[in-house]
Amino acid sequence: MTLDKQNAARIDQESLFHPFTSVADHLRDGPLVISEGSGVRVKDIRGQEYLDGMAGLWCVNLGYGRKEISDAIAAQSRKLSFFHAFNSMSTDVAIECADALLARAPVPMARVFFGVSGSDANETQLKLIWYYNNLLGRPRKKKIISRWNAYHGSGIATASLTGLPGMHTLFDLPLGPVLHLTAPHHYRQAPAGMTELQFSQHLAKELESVIEREGADTIAAFFAEPVMGAGGVIVPPATYFDRIQPILKKYEILFVVDEVICAFARTGNMFGAQTFNLQPDIMTLAKALSAGYQPISANLITNKLYEVLVAQSDKLGIFGHGYTYSAHPVPAAVALETLKIYEERDIVGKVRQVAPRMQAGIRSYADHPLIGDARGIGLIGAVELVRDKATKQSFDPKAGVAAYLVRRAQHHGAILRNMPGDNVAFCPPLIISEAEIDEMMGCFGKALDDTWAMVKERGLA
Ligand SMILES: Cc1ncc(COP(=O)(O)O)c(C=O)c1O
């Protein structure tokens, strides 16, 4: 079979089982088959170009087709295409990469454990936390606190941490030891009339009362994304983390900061932890660690955990965990090159320069009758579409209003992403220019007009 622009969609429908895709919709509508990318743009197999307003899946921070990175892949594949890190084996490039990450971490970190994806990295975090408490002789301290709307991955344990009911219901999840708290989503979750500051206080009280109800001796860790991504791009209310962190310290609960989307300049600092003044005990990195060019993730752990491993693991048993491709030399070489580019091109400075344009663009639609909320920080943002602005009433999810908007944006030349609750996300490559931001927002504006016309025509509002 030779694939061409005529048969690609059909062969996809007959062969590929897609993640997070409605099988019925896919068989009806078919795929968008992307076959090339350069800068902030991708091209489909028919030659149609799109501005990628989602950096792939929140990861292509440096844009497509960077020669320095493809050269790094080729050079490392020729030099050493694979070696592993089990049983004290190592590679020069994995060592360099771990050292480079420790040198750049937002708080002092002791060691780096490599994996392949954000999901497997968070799975590692969980096992590490349980192992740590077993080494410390605290077998009851195992429950994990997460939040509704969180996204921490799609494995059995990480989908349990994730706070999206659609990832639980048909999979018999969540697993027992996960507790979900209210999402720090002022627009949706704050009781009427409550300010951001009061809402943060309210959420801190909720945390403390759950700890007291369950017993601090049963709670091991609190997982949080600095800005929730896939759950709707939710920027926490002012002082939220300032109030949460002392409570975690007080009850000896580890703070796991999931930086899978926020790290590498997305929020206007190298790490989300810097934007929100966080002191993680453990951090999860993935996605933009390689700018999406190769699969790689990293768990950064502080000395607080590492010294317990040093003292106890010989006596009680090794950390029997890892993946064939943990510390794979090719993605490690890519991560090193990517870190170099972030710094040499001052990507943080670049984000700070253009982010106000995108944030103003998003908020310029706030008065539109379909937009309930418009929010974001740095080069990540979202709008929430509502049926009734005054009451914040949502559309029937079956109407697929945000999905329609995203299809129309694609028609007008920009790839955006709809998420549960009729949210539409913006997360472009960080190399985007102001003119390209205007172009992306223009495509969104046209799609919003089309959606408004559709909503009126079908009597949905
Ligand atoms: C915050 C966060 N954590 C974890 C993950 C899971 O990463 P992966 O899809 O690489 O398994 C994601 C993916 O979007 C994420 O956004």
Side-chain angles (χ1 to χ4, degrees), residues 20 57-58 116-122 150-155 158 162 225 227-230 258-262 284 286-287 296-297:
F20 285 100
L57 263 180
W58 330 80
V116 187
S117 70
S119 298
D120 71 52
N122 280 328
Y151 189 86
H152 296 297
S154 64
T158 52
T162 290
E225 301 151 84
V227 174
M228 286 178 160
D258 182 346
E259 291 257 11
V260 167
I261 287 182
C262 293
T284 315
K287 291 191 190 278
I296 181 170
S297 60

Side-chain angles (χ1 to χ4, degrees), residues 162-205:
T162 290
L164 299 171
M167 289 179 64
H168 294 162
T169 318
L170 296 176
F171 300 97
D172 300 352
L173 297 175
L175 291 181
V178 180
L179 304 161
H180 290 96
L181 303 186
T182 305
H185 191 356
H186 184 260
Y187 173 72
R188 272 286 159 212
Q189 300 298 339
M194 203 177 249
T195 64
E196 279 199 28
L197 292 176
Q198 290 164 336
F199 184 46
S200 292
Q201 211 169 0
H202 172 78
L203 294 175
K205 271 203 195 121

Side-chain angles (χ1 to χ4, degrees), residues 145-388:
I145 299 182
S146 181
R147 289 113 24 106
W148 291 113
N149 289 73
Y151 189 86
H152 296 297
S154 64
I156 300 268
T158 52
S160 299
L161 290 176
T162 290
L164 299 171
M167 289 179 64
H168 294 162
T169 318
L170 296 176
F171 300 97
D172 300 352
L173 297 175
L175 291 181
V178 180
L179 304 161
H180 290 96
L181 303 186
T182 305
H185 191 356
H186 184 260
Y187 173 72
R188 272 286 159 212
Q189 300 298 339
M194 203 177 249
T195 64
E196 279 199 28
L197 292 176
Q198 290 164 336
F199 184 46
S200 292
Q201 211 169 0
H202 172 78
L203 294 175
K205 271 203 195 121
E206 179 194 32
L207 171 64
E208 194 145 20
S209 65
V210 166
I211 296 169
E212 279 165 7
R213 184 191 72 206
E214 300 287 324
D217 61 329
T218 72
I219 300 181
F222 177 90
F223 270 69
E225 301 151 84
V227 174
M228 286 178 160
V233 185
I234 299 161
V235 182
T239 74
Y240 171 74
F241 282 115
D242 302 337
R243 291 185 178 277
I244 295 292
Q245 293 185 93
I247 298 173
L248 303 178
K249 278 218 163 58
K250 176 172 160 193
Y251 294 102
E252 270 194 79
I253 293 171
L254 295 171
F255 185 21
V256 186
V257 177
D258 182 346
E259 291 257 11
V260 167
I261 287 182
C262 293
F264 307 112
R266 179 59 63 190
T267 64
N269 288 291
M270 203 54 168
F271 296 94
Q274 291 154 332
T275 303
F276 296 100
N277 196 20
L278 310 182
Q279 298 286 317
D281 294 303
I282 328 184
M283 275 172 69
T284 315
L285 306 175
K287 291 191 190 278
L289 170 56
S290 67
Y293 279 74
Q294 286 278 298
I296 181 170
S297 60
N299 302 61
L300 271 56
I301 65 175
T302 47
N303 218 21
K304 175 173 166 179
L305 281 100
Y306 192 70
E307 66 191 8
V308 172
L309 271 62
V310 173
Q312 299 294 338
S313 71
D314 264 3
K315 291 177 225 154
L316 296 173
I318 64 160
F319 186 55
H321 172 82
Y323 309 102
T324 300
Y325 296 136
S326 285
H328 192 299
V330 178
V334 169
L336 271 174
E337 185 62 32
T338 303
L339 291 173
K340 194 168 136 215
I341 298 172
Y342 285 134
E343 283 171 5
E344 281 180 5
R345 307 289 161 92
D346 184 23
I347 297 295
V348 168
K350 168 105 190 35
V351 171
R352 289 182 183 173
Q353 211 180 348
V354 302
R357 188 86 166 197
M358 186 176 101
Q359 295 303 333
I362 292 172
R363 285 167 180 78
S364 72
Y365 293 101
D367 291 335
H368 190 282
L370 272 182
I371 306 277
D373 192 30
R375 55 183 178 262
I377 184 168
L379 279 179
I380 186 166
V383 293
E384 181 166 338
L385 308 178
V386 289
R387 181 162 187 253
D388 185 323

Side-chain angles (χ1 to χ4, degrees), residues 76 80-99 101 112-117 120 124 289 294-299 321-336:
Q76 185 59 47
L80 179 68
S81 55
F82 177 79
F83 215 78
H84 64 89
F86 285 32
N87 311 108
S88 289
M89 291 294 182
S90 203
T91 63
D92 47 3
V93 65
I95 299 168
E96 267 187 86
C97 189
D99 186 56
L101 285 173
V112 180
F113 186 96
F114 287 112
V116 187
S117 70
D120 71 52
T124 300
L289 170 56
Q294 286 278 298
I296 181 170
S297 60
N299 302 61
H321 172 82
Y323 309 102
T324 300
Y325 296 136
S326 285
H328 192 299
V330 178
V334 169
L336 271 174

